[in-house]
Amino acid sequence: MSTPRVLPVGEHALLVELPDGDAAGALHAELLRRRAAGTLPAVAEIVPAARTVLLDGVADPPSLAARLTTWEIPPLTEAAQETVEIPVRYDGPDLAAVAALWGVPEDAVAGIHSAAEFRVAFCGFAPGFAYLTGLGDRYATPRRDTPRTAVPAGSVGLAGPYTGVYPRSSPGGWQLIGSTDAALWDPHREPAALLTPGTRVRFVPRAPR
C-alpha cells in the first residue's frame, strides 16, 4: 500500500488519507488489530470513511502520525468473524431499471446481488446506515436522477459501488431493489447498529409478500 497522507485535525485528532476504499479498509483493520493487541497508542475513536480514516482522541498526534507512515499494512482479507445475514424481498421499485443498467433479465438481479459477499466499508448518512462493498465495478449503479422525498425504512438500495439499507424512512436517491424487516438500528440493543465497519454481510432472498 502506498504511504498514507496524515493530516492533523484540531489538537487531538488525525485524518489519514488513502488512495481508495480497499486501502482505507486495510488500515482500519490494522488499527483495530493493533488496538486489540495493545500496541496502538491511546486513541478514543477510529472512524473509517470512503478513502480516509479519522483517529480522534489521540494522546500524542505528532508521534502517532510519524509512526503511521512507517507501518507495513497488509492487504484487506476476509475477517474470521460471523457473517450477518439479512433477508431481502427483491421487490424494489427500481428493480427493472437496475436490470436494464446491468444488461440482465429482471429476475437475475436477485441472484447476482445475493451471491455477492459484502463488507461494511463505513457508516454514515443516518444512524445504522452502512455502506457495503462487494458487488464490484461491473455492477456499479448510478443514483436516480430525481431523489425520492421519502424512502421506506428497510429499503435495500444501490448507489455507485455501494449497497445500503435504509434504517428509517428518509429522502434518498439510491436505486431501490428490495426490502427487509431487519432492524438496522435499535437504541435498546448493544450495539445499536446491526452493521458496523468491517462486518461481513450476505443478503438472503425471501419470497415477496
Side-chain angles (χ1 to χ4, degrees), residues 64-65 71 84 96 101 134 152 205:
L64 181 55
W71 287 2
V84 173
L101 286 165

Side-chain angles (χ1 to χ4, degrees), residues 1-4 26-28 30-35 39-41 43 55 63-74:
M1 186 176 75
S2 59
T3 302
L27 176 62
H28 177 248
E30 179 66 7
L31 287 163
L32 295 183
R33 187 192 69 77
R34 292 187 182 226
R35 173 189 269 179
T39 59
L40 181 69
V43 176
L55 307 176
S63 175
L64 181 55
R67 293 173 61 179
L68 278 169
T69 59
T70 67
W71 287 2
E72 290 290 334
I73 309 297

Side-chain angles (χ1 to χ4, degrees), residues 69-91:
T69 59
T70 67
W71 287 2
E72 290 290 334
I73 309 297
L76 190 63
T77 58
E78 186 165 339
Q81 64 184 58
E82 184 177 359
T83 298
V84 173
E85 293 190 348
I86 298 180
V88 177
R89 296 177 296 273
Y90 285 93
D91 56 1

